[in-house]
mmCIF file of all heavy atoms in Angstrom:
data_model
loop_
_atom_site.group_PDB
_atom_site.id
_atom_site.type_symbol
_atom_site.label_atom_id
_atom_site.label_comp_id
_atom_site.label_asym_id
_atom_site.label_seq_id
_atom_site.Cartn_x
_atom_site.Cartn_y
_atom_site.Cartn_z
ATOM 1 N N ARG A 730 120.700 95.068 110.371
ATOM 2 C CA ARG A 730 120.326 93.829 111.045
ATOM 3 C C ARG A 730 118.835 93.543 110.870
ATOM 4 O O ARG A 730 118.444 92.415 110.573
ATOM 5 C CB ARG A 730 120.687 93.915 112.532
ATOM 6 C CG ARG A 730 120.222 92.727 113.356
ATOM 7 C CD ARG A 730 120.743 91.405 112.828
ATOM 8 N NE ARG A 730 122.181 91.289 112.940
ATOM 9 C CZ ARG A 730 122.868 90.210 112.565
ATOM 10 N NH1 ARG A 730 122.248 89.179 112.024
ATOM 11 N NH2 ARG A 730 124.183 90.179 112.688
ATOM 12 N N THR A 731 117.998 94.557 111.020
ATOM 13 C CA THR A 731 116.552 94.373 110.813
ATOM 14 C C THR A 731 116.277 93.938 109.389
ATOM 15 O O THR A 731 115.482 93.025 109.145
ATOM 16 C CB THR A 731 115.797 95.683 111.127
ATOM 17 O OG1 THR A 731 116.053 96.049 112.485
ATOM 18 C CG2 THR A 731 114.297 95.517 110.917
ATOM 19 N N PHE A 732 116.950 94.592 108.449
ATOM 20 C CA PHE A 732 116.784 94.256 107.038
ATOM 21 C C PHE A 732 117.102 92.786 106.789
ATOM 22 O O PHE A 732 116.348 92.072 106.126
ATOM 23 C CB PHE A 732 117.699 95.151 106.198
ATOM 24 C CG PHE A 732 117.721 94.842 104.730
ATOM 25 C CD1 PHE A 732 116.676 95.222 103.910
ATOM 26 C CD2 PHE A 732 118.810 94.183 104.166
ATOM 27 C CE1 PHE A 732 116.695 94.946 102.541
ATOM 28 C CE2 PHE A 732 118.844 93.908 102.806
ATOM 29 C CZ PHE A 732 117.787 94.287 101.998
ATOM 30 N N ALA A 733 118.223 92.312 107.319
ATOM 31 C CA ALA A 733 118.627 90.922 107.098
ATOM 32 C C ALA A 733 117.662 89.942 107.754
ATOM 33 O O ALA A 733 117.446 88.838 107.240
ATOM 34 C CB ALA A 733 120.040 90.712 107.629
ATOM 35 N N ASP A 734 117.066 90.331 108.879
ATOM 36 C CA ASP A 734 116.193 89.422 109.631
ATOM 37 C C ASP A 734 114.771 89.337 109.075
ATOM 38 O O ASP A 734 114.046 88.393 109.397
ATOM 39 C CB ASP A 734 116.138 89.845 111.103
ATOM 40 C CG ASP A 734 117.443 89.560 111.846
ATOM 41 O OD1 ASP A 734 118.262 88.774 111.320
ATOM 42 O OD2 ASP A 734 117.630 90.136 112.931
ATOM 43 N N LEU A 735 114.365 90.308 108.270
ATOM 44 C CA LEU A 735 113.000 90.309 107.745
ATOM 45 C C LEU A 735 112.814 89.234 106.665
ATOM 46 O O LEU A 735 113.766 88.876 105.973
ATOM 47 C CB LEU A 735 112.666 91.678 107.137
ATOM 48 C CG LEU A 735 112.468 92.832 108.112
ATOM 49 C CD1 LEU A 735 112.342 94.143 107.345
ATOM 50 C CD2 LEU A 735 111.237 92.598 108.986
ATOM 51 N N PRO A 736 111.590 88.733 106.471
ATOM 52 C CA PRO A 736 111.323 87.841 105.335
ATOM 53 C C PRO A 736 111.280 88.651 104.041
ATOM 54 O O PRO A 736 110.643 89.694 103.975
ATOM 55 C CB PRO A 736 109.957 87.237 105.672
ATOM 56 C CG PRO A 736 109.294 88.242 106.564
ATOM 57 C CD PRO A 736 110.393 88.909 107.337
ATOM 58 N N HIS A 737 111.972 88.161 103.025
ATOM 59 C CA HIS A 737 112.147 88.920 101.790
ATOM 60 C C HIS A 737 111.350 88.338 100.629
ATOM 61 O O HIS A 737 111.151 87.124 100.536
ATOM 62 C CB HIS A 737 113.628 88.950 101.395
ATOM 63 C CG HIS A 737 114.452 89.864 102.241
ATOM 64 N ND1 HIS A 737 114.968 91.047 101.775
ATOM 65 C CD2 HIS A 737 114.839 89.758 103.537
ATOM 66 C CE1 HIS A 737 115.653 91.637 102.742
ATOM 67 N NE2 HIS A 737 115.594 90.872 103.820
ATOM 68 N N LEU A 738 110.943 89.248 99.749
ATOM 69 C CA LEU A 738 110.376 88.889 98.454
ATOM 70 C C LEU A 738 111.459 89.147 97.423
ATOM 71 O O LEU A 738 111.982 90.255 97.331
ATOM 72 C CB LEU A 738 109.133 89.741 98.167
ATOM 73 C CG LEU A 738 108.290 89.420 96.934
ATOM 74 C CD1 LEU A 738 106.936 90.109 97.027
ATOM 75 C CD2 LEU A 738 108.961 89.806 95.641
ATOM 76 N N LEU A 739 111.801 88.129 96.654
ATOM 77 C CA LEU A 739 112.825 88.244 95.616
ATOM 78 C C LEU A 739 112.162 88.249 94.247
ATOM 79 O O LEU A 739 111.337 87.380 93.952
ATOM 80 C CB LEU A 739 113.808 87.074 95.712
ATOM 81 C CG LEU A 739 114.818 86.915 94.557
ATOM 82 C CD1 LEU A 739 115.781 88.094 94.507
ATOM 83 C CD2 LEU A 739 115.579 85.598 94.684
ATOM 84 N N VAL A 740 112.515 89.221 93.417
ATOM 85 C CA VAL A 740 112.076 89.232 92.022
ATOM 86 C C VAL A 740 113.195 88.619 91.195
ATOM 87 O O VAL A 740 114.311 89.145 91.146
ATOM 88 C CB VAL A 740 111.762 90.656 91.533
ATOM 89 C CG1 VAL A 740 111.333 90.630 90.066
ATOM 90 C CG2 VAL A 740 110.685 91.294 92.397
ATOM 91 N N SER A 741 112.909 87.479 90.555
ATOM 92 C CA SER A 741 113.936 86.778 89.777
ATOM 93 C C SER A 741 113.316 86.220 88.503
ATOM 94 O O SER A 741 112.721 85.142 88.519
ATOM 95 C CB SER A 741 114.557 85.645 90.602
ATOM 96 O OG SER A 741 115.482 84.926 89.808
ATOM 97 N N PRO A 742 113.441 86.935 87.381
ATOM 98 C CA PRO A 742 112.900 86.419 86.124
ATOM 99 C C PRO A 742 113.466 85.056 85.743
ATOM 100 O O PRO A 742 112.795 84.249 85.121
ATOM 101 C CB PRO A 742 113.297 87.492 85.105
ATOM 102 C CG PRO A 742 113.462 88.735 85.904
ATOM 103 C CD PRO A 742 114.009 88.279 87.228
ATOM 104 N N GLU A 743 114.724 84.806 86.116
ATOM 105 C CA GLU A 743 115.357 83.531 85.771
ATOM 106 C C GLU A 743 115.131 82.460 86.837
ATOM 107 O O GLU A 743 115.721 81.395 86.791
ATOM 108 C CB GLU A 743 116.864 83.730 85.552
ATOM 109 C CG GLU A 743 117.209 84.478 84.281
ATOM 110 C CD GLU A 743 117.229 85.988 84.492
ATOM 111 O OE1 GLU A 743 117.048 86.437 85.650
ATOM 112 O OE2 GLU A 743 117.402 86.732 83.503
ATOM 113 N N ASN A 744 114.290 82.767 87.841
ATOM 114 C CA ASN A 744 113.956 81.832 88.920
ATOM 115 C C ASN A 744 115.188 81.436 89.729
ATOM 116 O O ASN A 744 115.315 80.299 90.180
ATOM 117 C CB ASN A 744 113.252 80.587 88.377
ATOM 118 C CG ASN A 744 112.505 79.834 89.471
ATOM 119 O OD1 ASN A 744 112.024 80.432 90.435
ATOM 120 N ND2 ASN A 744 112.407 78.533 89.335
ATOM 121 N N GLU A 745 116.089 82.378 89.906
ATOM 122 C CA GLU A 745 117.265 82.126 90.733
ATOM 123 C C GLU A 745 116.920 82.376 92.193
ATOM 124 O O GLU A 745 115.955 83.066 92.517
ATOM 125 C CB GLU A 745 118.415 83.034 90.294
ATOM 126 C CG GLU A 745 118.881 82.741 88.871
ATOM 127 C CD GLU A 745 119.881 83.763 88.367
ATOM 128 O OE1 GLU A 745 119.951 84.860 88.950
ATOM 129 O OE2 GLU A 745 120.578 83.469 87.384
ATOM 130 N N SER A 746 117.716 81.824 93.095
ATOM 131 C CA SER A 746 117.447 81.976 94.529
ATOM 132 C C SER A 746 118.517 82.826 95.209
ATOM 133 O O SER A 746 118.594 82.871 96.439
ATOM 134 C CB SER A 746 117.372 80.608 95.205
ATOM 135 O OG SER A 746 118.572 79.883 94.983
ATOM 136 N N TYR A 747 119.345 83.497 94.406
ATOM 137 C CA TYR A 747 120.424 84.313 94.937
ATOM 138 C C TYR A 747 120.547 85.534 94.047
ATOM 139 O O TYR A 747 120.693 85.402 92.832
ATOM 140 C CB TYR A 747 121.733 83.509 94.939
ATOM 141 C CG TYR A 747 122.901 84.175 95.621
ATOM 142 C CD1 TYR A 747 123.124 83.978 96.977
ATOM 143 C CD2 TYR A 747 123.781 84.977 94.909
ATOM 144 C CE1 TYR A 747 124.212 84.570 97.616
ATOM 145 C CE2 TYR A 747 124.871 85.573 95.528
ATOM 146 C CZ TYR A 747 125.086 85.373 96.886
ATOM 147 O OH TYR A 747 126.146 85.953 97.505
ATOM 148 N N GLY A 748 120.460 86.708 94.643
ATOM 149 C CA GLY A 748 120.485 87.915 93.837
ATOM 150 C C GLY A 748 121.527 88.910 94.312
ATOM 151 O O GLY A 748 122.383 88.606 95.158
ATOM 152 N N PHE A 749 121.456 90.124 93.775
ATOM 153 C CA PHE A 749 122.429 91.158 94.087
ATOM 154 C C PHE A 749 122.394 91.545 95.559
ATOM 155 O O PHE A 749 123.410 91.878 96.156
ATOM 156 C CB PHE A 749 122.194 92.389 93.199
ATOM 157 C CG PHE A 749 120.821 92.966 93.345
ATOM 158 C CD1 PHE A 749 120.558 93.923 94.292
ATOM 159 C CD2 PHE A 749 119.783 92.533 92.527
ATOM 160 C CE1 PHE A 749 119.288 94.446 94.440
ATOM 161 C CE2 PHE A 749 118.512 93.050 92.666
ATOM 162 C CZ PHE A 749 118.259 94.007 93.636
ATOM 163 N N VAL A 750 121.210 91.479 96.178
ATOM 164 C CA VAL A 750 121.105 91.785 97.609
ATOM 165 C C VAL A 750 121.848 90.732 98.424
ATOM 166 O O VAL A 750 122.558 91.055 99.381
ATOM 167 C CB VAL A 750 119.630 91.884 98.047
ATOM 168 C CG1 VAL A 750 119.525 92.008 99.568
ATOM 169 C CG2 VAL A 750 118.956 93.073 97.373
ATOM 170 N N ASP A 751 121.695 89.468 98.035
ATOM 171 C CA ASP A 751 122.398 88.391 98.740
ATOM 172 C C ASP A 751 123.904 88.566 98.633
ATOM 173 O O ASP A 751 124.646 88.346 99.600
ATOM 174 C CB ASP A 751 121.967 87.035 98.181
ATOM 175 C CG ASP A 751 120.469 86.851 98.279
ATOM 176 O OD1 ASP A 751 119.985 86.575 99.384
ATOM 177 O OD2 ASP A 751 119.791 87.016 97.254
ATOM 178 N N ALA A 752 124.377 88.969 97.458
ATOM 179 C CA ALA A 752 125.812 89.189 97.270
ATOM 180 C C ALA A 752 126.299 90.330 98.166
ATOM 181 O O ALA A 752 127.362 90.228 98.784
ATOM 182 C CB ALA A 752 126.109 89.492 95.804
ATOM 183 N N ALA A 753 125.514 91.408 98.259
ATOM 184 C CA ALA A 753 125.900 92.539 99.099
ATOM 185 C C ALA A 753 125.880 92.160 100.580
ATOM 186 O O ALA A 753 126.770 92.558 101.345
ATOM 187 C CB ALA A 753 124.974 93.724 98.841
ATOM 188 N N LEU A 754 124.882 91.380 100.989
ATOM 189 C CA LEU A 754 124.830 90.926 102.379
ATOM 190 C C LEU A 754 125.995 90.000 102.700
ATOM 191 O O LEU A 754 126.578 90.064 103.784
ATOM 192 C CB LEU A 754 123.501 90.215 102.654
ATOM 193 C CG LEU A 754 122.273 91.101 102.810
ATOM 194 C CD1 LEU A 754 121.009 90.248 102.857
ATOM 195 C CD2 LEU A 754 122.376 91.967 104.062
#
């Protein structure tokens, strides 16, 4: 829950806004 609530930095070479973490969440 803490993990989901924190502000995240996403590394996306293709400038996508959805990554593997989002899929797992």
Side-chain angles (χ1 to χ4, degrees):
R730 175 56 66 179
T731 301
F732 175 76
D734 289 344
L735 288 172
H737 286 251
L738 187 165
L739 170 65
V740 179
S741 176
E743 289 88 4
N744 199 31
E745 296 172 341
S746 57
Y747 187 90
F749 58 89
V750 172
D751 303 283
L754 284 171

